[in-house]
Amino acid sequence: LAVGIILVAINPYKELPIYGDAIIHAYSGQNMGDMDPHIFAVAEEAYKQMARNNKNQSIIVSGESGAGKTVSARYTMRYFATVSKSSNNAHVEDKVLASNPITEAVGNAKTTRNDNSSRFGKYTEISFDQSYQIIGANMRTYLLEKSRVVFQSENERNYHIFYQLCASAMQPEYEHLKLGRSQKNNLLFT
């Protein structure tokens, strides 16, 4: 098993000017180690290896709740869209993550560390054509934390979707579900 480059990134919990198009172009075409460690350096190395060896590449983004995994994945997708000069460059990361609000409602919950914590993993596969331009993507989710449905620790919540459904209980299209207020349904709404 070969392990490639490892980058440790820390979420500063604020916007930094190190992810714009100028920085993307600065890292494009550079060799790993020629510039400061950056998510764009990792993306560039994967992109070059894909083009040079004509083999699939993987980038694993891992971390604790609130570490910035989704944002790092977004930056990586934007990098690929920009350097590949994809004709559908109109924010490919927005298109790939367009399902996120639904995914987050069903799979995110409030924890003691994060008000919108993913309780599942995501696998995003980006497809390139023969000239290494993005032609599509697929996102899969896995490992949903099922125990949260029946039990939440103190100061934590169930999945957002349950509260959203309860908030819509009086809507005519949901009457057949016989929903009540979240406190009545023992969802510990906070």
Side-chain angles (χ1 to χ4, degrees), residues 129-142:
D129 64 13
Q130 295 298 319
S131 59
Y132 307 108
Q133 291 187 339
I134 295 174
I135 56 172
N138 183 27
M139 182 188 295
R140 287 180 255 167
T141 60
Y142 57 95

Side-chain angles (χ1 to χ4, degrees), residues 100-121:
N100 237 20
I102 295 168
T103 306
E104 288 189 5
V106 174
N108 285 20
K110 177 184 176 190
T111 67
T112 55
R113 302 184 75 186
N114 186 345
D115 286 345
N116 194 35
S117 179
S118 301
R119 309 317 304 152
F120 61 93

Side-chain angles (χ1 to χ4, degrees), residues 1 36 44-45 51 78-79 81 86 136 138 140 148 157 161 172 174 181 185:
L1 173 69
D36 291 336
E44 173 62 21
E45 186 64 19
R78 185 180 323 138
Y79 186 87
S86 295
N138 183 27
R140 287 180 255 167
R148 183 166 296 276
R157 286 178 27 146
I161 191 68
Y174 296 115
R181 295 177 45 103
N185 287 335

Side-chain angles (χ1 to χ4, degrees), residues 6-189:
I6 297 174
L7 172 69
V8 177
I10 299 171
N11 184 352
Y13 296 99
K14 67 178 185 176
E15 199 70 36
L16 294 177
I18 60 171
Y19 299 105
D21 285 346
I23 305 297
I24 288 175
H25 294 296
Y27 278 87
S28 179
Q30 298 296 319
N31 291 319
M32 182 61 79
D34 287 350
M35 298 185 67
D36 291 336
H38 196 289
I39 190 71
F40 293 158
V42 174
E44 173 62 21
E45 186 64 19
Y47 188 76
K48 280 197 316 197
Q49 290 293 328
M50 176 187 66
R52 183 179 304 137
N53 301 327
N54 200 27
K55 289 188 176 179
N56 294 337
Q57 300 294 305
S58 295
I59 296 175
I60 298 172
V61 181
S62 178
E64 292 187 6
S65 178
K69 296 177 293 295
T70 300
V71 174
S72 292
R74 252 181 192 272
Y75 290 142
T76 303
M77 286 182 264
R78 185 180 323 138
Y79 186 87
F80 291 144
T82 302
V83 300
S84 71
K85 297 174 180 61
S86 295
S87 58
N88 60 350
N89 187 2
H91 301 287
V92 69
E93 76 273 11
D94 291 333
K95 292 177 182 178
V96 171
L97 297 174
S99 64
N100 237 20
I102 295 168
T103 306
E104 288 189 5
V106 174
N108 285 20
K110 177 184 176 190
T111 67
T112 55
R113 302 184 75 186
N114 186 345
D115 286 345
N116 194 35
S117 179
S118 301
R119 309 317 304 152
F120 61 93
K122 290 182 235 179
Y123 176 78
T124 305
E125 183 177 85
I126 302 172
S127 301
F128 295 84
D129 64 13
Q130 295 298 319
S131 59
Y132 307 108
Q133 291 187 339
I134 295 174
I135 56 172
N138 183 27
M139 182 188 295
R140 287 180 255 167
T141 60
Y142 57 95
L143 300 176
L144 183 64
E145 185 184 81
K146 296 175 185 172
S147 63
R148 183 166 296 276
V149 173
V150 294
F151 173 80
Q152 302 87 49
S153 297
E154 187 176 345
N155 298 322
E156 292 196 352
R157 286 178 27 146
N158 206 321
Y159 293 104
H160 298 324
I161 191 68
F162 293 119
Y163 303 97
Q164 292 165 345
L165 280 169
C166 289
S168 301
M170 299 307 154
Q171 299 295 324
E173 59 267 26
Y174 296 115
E175 279 182 16
H176 70 283
L177 296 177
K178 302 195 184 323
L179 296 169
R181 295 177 45 103
S182 57
Q183 293 91 341
K184 185 176 178 181
N185 287 335
N186 198 26
L187 292 176
L188 305 173
F189 184 76

